[in-house]
Amino acid sequence: MEELEGRDLADIQTYEMWGPENYMRVAGFIFMVARALEEAHSIGIVIRDLKPENVIVGPDGFVK
C-alpha cells in the first residue's frame, strides 16, 4: 500500500469542516472522491471500504 502524507477525512471533519465558510471545501472533497470512484468502477474495481478514515487529504488539498 502506498504511504501517503496528509490527514484522513475523519480527522478533518471532526475539527475543521463544520461551518458555512467550509461548504465549498467539503463540496470539493466530495467531488474528488466521487470522480475517483467513477474511475475505479469504470475499470472494474469495486471499493468496499469507503469511509472518512480511508480518504486521505494531502498537503496539496487533493484526496486519495
Side-chain angles (χ1 to χ4, degrees), residues 2 4-5 10 14 16 21 27-28 33 38 40 42 54 58 60 62:
E2 178 184 3
L4 300 172
E5 187 177 327
T14 301
E16 298 172 14
E21 66 279 357
V33 169
E38 177 184 39
S42 75
N54 293 340
D60 57 2
F62 288 98

Side-chain angles (χ1 to χ4, degrees), residues 26-45:
V26 172
F29 291 153
I30 292 168
F31 179 78
M32 287 186 271
V33 169
R35 292 284 301 181
L37 285 172
E38 177 184 39
E39 184 67 26
H41 289 170
S42 75
I43 59 173
I45 298 172

Side-chain angles (χ1 to χ4, degrees), residues 2-58:
E2 178 184 3
E3 187 173 335
L4 300 172
E5 187 177 327
R7 297 176 16 195
D8 67 55
L9 198 53
D11 181 44
I12 293 170
Q13 80 180 22
T14 301
Y15 297 105
E16 298 172 14
M17 288 176 82
W18 305 112
E21 66 279 357
N22 290 320
Y23 288 142
M24 292 305 291
R25 184 174 182 213
V26 172
F29 291 153
I30 292 168
F31 179 78
M32 287 186 271
V33 169
R35 292 284 301 181
L37 285 172
E38 177 184 39
E39 184 67 26
H41 289 170
S42 75
I43 59 173
I45 298 172
V46 177
I47 308 297
R48 295 182 180 201
D49 196 21
L50 180 62
K51 58 187 174 186
E53 293 84 0
N54 293 340
V55 176
I56 303 298
V57 179

